[in-house]
Amino acid sequence: DSYNCKVIANQLLAFQCQITSASNGRYGWQATLQYRFDLILMDLEMPVMNGIEALKAIRATQAARGQAPSFIVAFSSDD
């Protein structure tokens, strides 16, 4: 959700990272069609395309393009 994205983004400010966020798994995967990210933080329970589906799509896209795989950290913010 947007709150958790803000919390994580604030924690990463100290590392001077460029941050891109996506509101669902499909948007996250589509972002990797335009950019190759070094690190992806992936919520497992995203709408439209869940984290596992998005992970598989990202890995397939990177493999097809001959790109080095991004580091992907999966988590869940489920209460």
Side-chain angles (χ1 to χ4, degrees):
D1 64 22
S2 62
Y3 175 77
N4 287 332
C5 287
K6 288 177 186 176
V7 169
I8 292 169
N10 284 333
Q11 291 174 342
L12 293 174
L13 286 176
F15 298 101
Q16 299 178 348
C17 301
Q18 288 184 321
I19 299 170
T20 302
S21 63
S23 60
N24 66 56
R26 182 170 292 138
Y27 289 156
W29 167 65
Q30 289 173 336
T32 67
L33 299 176
Q34 296 178 343
Y35 306 101
R36 191 218 162 261
F37 297 97
D38 294 322
L39 173 65
I40 298 171
L41 302 176
M42 179 80 65
D43 190 341
L44 295 174
E45 297 182 11
M46 292 182 292
V48 182
M49 178 186 275
N50 71 39
I52 300 300
E53 294 167 330
L55 172 98
K56 289 177 182 178
I58 291 166
R59 289 288 188 239
T61 299
Q62 290 178 332
R65 292 180 172 185
Q67 295 175 331
S70 299
F71 290 101
I72 300 178
V73 177
F75 67 94
S76 178
S77 60
D78 190 15
D79 293 338

